[in-house]
Amino acid sequence: MIPISVVRQEASVSILRTALNRISLDYLTSTAKKKLGHSYVEVKRDGPAHIPQFFYRLIMDNKEYHVAEGRTVKEAQQNAARLAWSALEEQTDWDSKVSVRSTLSEDGAPPSPSSSSSSTPLFTSDFDPIQYLGSGAYGSVYKARRKLEEKYYAVKIVRSDKKAFREVGTLADLFHHNVIRYFNCWIEDTRYEDGISAGSSAGSSAGGYSDAQSTDDPSVKFLYIQMELCKTKTLKDWIHEKNNQSPQDTKRRQESLSIAQQIVSGVEYIHSRGHIHRDLKPENILFGLDDKEVKIGDFGLVTRDDDALMDRTENRGTQSYMAHEQVGKTYDRKVDIFALGLIYLELLWKVSSGHERIEVFTNARKQILPTDFSRAFQEETLIIKKMLHEKPEVRPQASDLKAQLDKLAQTENEPQKRATV
Ligand SMILES: Nc1ncnc2c1ncn2[C@@H]1O[C@H](COP(=O)(O)OP(=O)(O)OP(=O)(O)O)[C@@H](O)[C@H]1O
């Protein structure tokens, strides 16, 4: 006999899945309410009046699901429904596609290939690859249109290993508008390559599968990660544009604060879910398609955090943004605050050459900021110096930092109190 809990769980999945297939979470609200005991609970409200944040969780069939955030009550409830859906999807083997969490072993190791590989290349059967977007050290990213709903996504293709599963396992756990959204992942035997990424004639769009790597080692598989499509412009490009503007852009201060608030909001959420990003840098922060929001990406170095300091076996990150203690083995989430301090400085302060940037960064790492900067940005100087403090315990928690930046934004919105820089 099938246990009642399984039947109820399948009912929940079916309701949520139908709702998501109809792309209408309103449907979920009415249908699930009728069939299963279901309610949304407000956990907290946050943020200033002009950018409020609402936090809701879904309770269904007496089970509490993860807290989700949104700009409106409706958005937060819809996001909470999506998180519940993801959680149920992960628990139930209803799809032929790989369910990430259920395939992870206790230590985050990848699943055995036999249980996860698929002989039909899902990428080209379910998607139209549109454009090669770029590559990092570990893989390449394509813009692709999912045939079923005719929506565009970014699909990242990486070797299927422990690092890739850590990235995807974390992304699947996160749902915040300042974090690149994860949708799905699956494993294939081969890596898709188009003419451009494969190094052949520029502009070629002819695509195909390359099994060069898997021929060398047949056990090598590739993980396809379907994510929210963002602009290819990164925060590094934004900083570069601003630095090349002459005279100095008068809106830079205001825009930098708004961007810093959004990154901190994303980091606060990541920390609240028990993760440390460990590789925050402008290259890993993208702009959403509407150009309004920034999104934290590249969770390849993410690790679990504990309240206690953890002994970490790996000490990686990007050298120039890395906190002092990150070269050692014992550090906590405050390494992200250090990197954010440098990013906020870089957002605000125009440097004219690579040489000047190195000098500013080297001094900033010792909490020495340019004299002109400290004069022009007094409040920011106090905040940044604390973020860059040598002792992690002195650096603010992301939630405190968020409150400080929100307060600063309120002051900035009262122009009579501040002179424009
Ligand atoms: N969700 C996305 N939407 C749009 N473009 C993306 C997306 N994710 C990545 N890209 C583009 O693809 C490029 C490569 O991304 P990827 O995450 O592999 O690289 P990376 O951050 O440079 O990598 P790594 O630090 O792992 O070496 C990025 O620089 C960006 O231009």
Side-chain angles (χ1 to χ4, degrees), residues 85-258:
W85 177 75
S86 302
L88 284 163
E89 181 190 20
E90 285 157 16
Q91 288 164 32
T92 313
D93 188 24
W94 51 263
D95 205 320
S96 59
K97 292 167 195 165
V98 174
S99 170
V100 178
R101 302 300 293 281
S102 60
T103 57
L104 284 175
S105 69
E106 279 294 292
D107 64 352
S112 63
S114 58
S115 66
S116 56
S117 67
S118 151
S119 53
T120 320
L122 195 80
F123 185 47
T124 41
S125 67
D126 282 16
F127 293 83
D128 289 321
I130 305 287
Q131 189 192 347
Y132 165 71
L133 295 174
S135 298
Y138 301 97
S140 33
V141 182
Y142 291 88
K143 175 179 175 179
R145 182 177 44 223
R146 187 150 189 265
K147 292 173 186 170
L148 195 63
E149 75 263 29
E150 295 188 350
K151 280 199 135 205
Y152 293 89
Y153 296 94
V155 178
K156 184 168 174 173
I157 307 169
V158 292
R159 269 174 79 124
S160 174
D161 57 16
K162 197 170 172 177
K163 177 187 174 298
F165 272 82
R166 186 169 49 194
E167 174 166 3
V168 94
T170 305
L171 274 175
D173 198 30
L174 301 175
F175 200 102
H176 189 278
H177 57 90
N178 297 121
V179 174
I180 290 182
R181 194 173 149 204
Y182 159 87
F183 288 90
N184 190 17
C185 80
W186 65 95
I187 293 175
E188 295 192 17
D189 293 335
T190 51
R191 182 210 296 270
Y192 175 85
E193 281 181 359
D194 75 354
I196 304 165
S197 61
S200 58
S201 60
S204 161
S205 60
Y209 281 85
S210 151
D211 60 358
Q213 298 209 30
S214 46
T215 310
D216 290 347
D217 179 357
S219 68
V220 170
K221 308 284 176 198
F222 297 93
L223 184 66
Y224 287 65
I225 309 171
Q226 181 191 348
M227 298 177 292
E228 166 184 9
L229 179 68
C230 294
K231 289 200 158 174
T232 43
K233 175 180 168 183
T234 68
L235 199 55
K236 187 179 176 177
D237 301 320
W238 185 92
I239 292 168
H240 191 68
E241 275 169 24
K242 295 286 175 194
N243 284 345
N244 285 328
Q245 274 173 11
S246 183
Q248 162 94 319
D249 182 351
T250 50
K251 287 203 181 128
R252 182 165 177 166
R253 181 181 209 160
Q254 212 183 353
E255 289 176 11
S256 297
L257 177 56
S258 163

Side-chain angles (χ1 to χ4, degrees), residues 16-87:
L16 286 158
R17 194 182 182 200
T18 311
L20 287 159
N21 280 344
R22 290 179 183 215
I23 324 284
S24 164
L25 285 150
D26 292 337
Y27 175 80
L28 163 70
T29 314
S30 56
T31 314
K33 237 177 196 162
K34 277 180 220 148
K35 297 200 180 173
L36 294 165
H38 144 256
S39 62
Y40 291 102
V41 177
E42 182 173 305
V43 178
K44 66 169 177 167
R45 286 180 189 218
D46 208 351
H50 64 292
I51 35 169
Q53 282 177 294
F54 300 89
F55 295 81
Y56 272 79
R57 78 157 84 244
L58 177 65
I59 300 180
M60 188 161 56
D61 201 20
N62 292 327
K63 189 169 183 310
E64 291 191 354
Y65 291 89
H66 291 319
V67 176
E69 180 265 357
R71 284 280 161 80
T72 60
V73 169
K74 189 176 173 190
E75 189 183 87
Q77 290 184 348
Q78 288 185 334
N79 291 345
R82 287 198 177 96
L83 281 184
W85 177 75
S86 302

